[in-house]
Amino acid sequence: MRVKFWGVRGSIPCPGPNTVRYGGNTACVELRMDEIDRLIIIDAGSGIRELGNALMAENAGKRSLSADIFITHTHWDHIMGFPFFTPIYIPSTQLKIYGPVTYEEESLKEVLRGQWAYRYFPVRQEELSSKVTYTNLIEGEYDLGQGLLLKTKYLNHPLLCLGYRFEFEDKVFCTAYDTEPFFNLFTTNPEDPSYDPVMAREGQEVAASENQRIEAFIRGADLLIYDTQYTQEEYIKGRVGWGHSPIEYAIEMACRNQVKRVALFHHDVLRTDTQLDALESQYAGRDVEIFFAREGMQVLV
Ligand SMILES: [Zn+2]
Ligand SMILES: [Zn+2]
């Protein structure tokens, strides 16, 4: 498997002199399996625009393009690039789009339709010339054919969000963002008027068991892309519950679960190239190989 990063940021694109080296585009990752001629795209943040241009150049004058696009969730930073993904306007293009939806009565197609309204963009979903299908995903296992297996896992984010685990020829590539550690939703402070010992204990148990399920999901991955928007210090200073993880947590969890390499991902828009370099040196030398994902970087799994 080949993995290439086209967008590594969260929230909003942040181009400028301070983000030249790591890149300023929001989430988009390309996954290729050359042996079976499969192209998979994870998320359609602003990075997908450049990926689309590269695919157009690569496919110029050749057969039609087909790809599977897996959306982790429909927060804006993960879908904003769709209307600028040029292959979507080419009649011969075939795209299968997959993703979770929060409410069962709404299909993924309907949720994504929101961004194709004249008040936001001059083209409507119905006017796309490519052949696009939409599939709602839930937590589970999916056979993607040709020996490619997909496992999905709900993460901890304000909106229903899926982690993706692709297994192909004894190799495992896994994504887990946007997410943060599950935590006890009930107070454990006996002084607090809302304290209930039973709820406090149950809340603790539920959080621990959900965190263990995520650990099982990423276990043994050859490459894991994990949410590390904050440092531990930043996280505990008012960012608990925002749906993003501290770097320390990702590294410790990867070490405990025999992950081979971790791509630290979904960088905060305030993080400059210089700061990311400094963080990379600061966290080097752990029991797991880590790197901060950069736009344009390619990794073999
Ligand atoms: Zn995000
Ligand atoms: Zn999000």
Side-chain angles (χ1 to χ4, degrees):
M1 291 190 269
R2 280 192 293 140
V3 171
K4 188 167 179 181
F5 296 93
W6 292 89
V8 299
R9 297 279 169 178
S11 312
I12 193 167
C14 54
N18 294 323
T19 57
V20 170
R21 285 185 292 109
Y22 286 86
N25 279 305
T26 65
C28 179
V29 176
E30 175 189 6
L31 168 65
R32 294 271 189 142
M33 280 137 290
D34 296 319
E35 302 94 314
I36 55 171
D37 197 21
R38 289 287 285 269
L39 164 63
I40 283 175
I41 299 167
I42 301 146
D43 277 337
S46 67
I48 202 172
R49 188 184 66 85
E50 274 297 331
L51 168 58
N53 295 344
L55 291 172
M56 293 298 291
E58 184 187 312
N59 269 48
K62 292 192 215 151
R63 62 195 166 67
S64 62
L65 173 85
S66 70
D68 298 308
I69 302 183
F70 290 86
I71 301 296
T72 57
H73 62 311
T74 52
H75 272 164
W76 191 234
D77 49 328
H78 298 258
I79 63 166
M80 68 191 328
F82 250 140
F84 302 92
F85 182 58
T86 307
I88 210 162
Y89 301 102
I90 309 297
S92 61
T93 299
Q94 299 191 43
L95 298 175
K96 292 180 185 163
I97 303 177
Y98 304 83
V101 289
T102 298
Y103 305 106
E104 278 175 26
E105 65 273 19
E106 270 186 310
S107 69
L108 180 66
K109 184 176 184 178
E110 284 168 52
V111 174
L112 290 174
R113 183 176 287 146
Q115 74 179 147
W116 300 95
Y118 283 141
R119 64 182 62 170
Y120 304 123
F121 195 70
V123 180
R124 292 196 311 146
Q125 200 178 36
E126 293 73 20
E127 294 165 0
L128 295 177
S129 27
S130 55
K131 184 172 181 294
V132 186
T133 62
Y134 300 83
T135 307
N136 292 10
L137 291 183
I138 57 169
E139 189 173 288
E141 279 190 32
Y142 298 86
D143 183 350
L144 300 181
Q146 298 175 290
L148 178 61
L149 184 70
L150 170 69
K151 293 176 179 165
T152 59
K153 174 78 193 75
Y154 290 131
L155 304 174
N156 188 25
H157 199 57
L159 177 66
L160 200 65
C161 179
L162 280 176
Y164 292 118
R165 178 183 172 110
F166 297 92
E167 300 184 356
F168 180 66
E169 292 186 341
D170 300 327
K171 294 286 183 184
V172 175
F173 165 60
C174 194
T175 68
Y177 64 85
D178 299 3
T179 192
E180 71 179 296
F182 284 92
F183 50 87
N184 192 347
L185 296 172
F186 301 98
T187 179
T188 51
N189 176 11
E191 311 288 304
D192 192 310
S194 67
Y195 176 72
D196 176 331
V198 175
M199 297 305 264
R201 196 186 63 244
E202 279 182 9
Q204 205 66 37
E205 285 168 5
V206 167
S209 104
E210 284 302 316
N211 285 328
Q212 278 164 17
R213 292 185 65 221
I214 290 194
E215 296 206 15
F217 175 71
I218 58 105
R219 193 162 296 146
D222 294 280
L223 177 65
L224 167 66
I225 298 182
Y226 205 87
D227 187 316
T228 52
Q229 181 151 341
Y230 306 120
T231 64
Q232 178 68 21
E233 196 185 351
E234 290 163 347
Y235 179 68
I236 55 172
K237 277 190 200 151
R239 294 177 180 88
V240 175
W242 288 17
H244 298 288
S245 295
I247 298 165
E248 286 83 347
Y249 183 82
I251 294 175
E252 285 161 20
M253 192 185 61
C255 286
R256 280 199 294 277
N257 291 285
Q258 301 83 46
V259 170
K260 297 196 183 63
R261 294 170 98 184
V262 189
L264 307 177
F265 190 76
H266 205 276
H267 310 321
D268 196 280
V269 289
L270 294 172
R271 206 80 82 195
T272 65
D273 286 335
T274 315
Q275 288 170 341
L276 284 165
D277 283 344
L279 287 172
E280 196 161 62
S281 325
Q282 187 184 326
Y283 294 106
R286 306 292 174 114
D287 290 338
V288 59
E289 189 186 333
I290 61 151
F291 60 90
F292 282 81
R294 292 173 191 236
E295 228 172 277
M297 185 185 225
Q298 190 158 211
V299 181
L300 288 179
V301 180

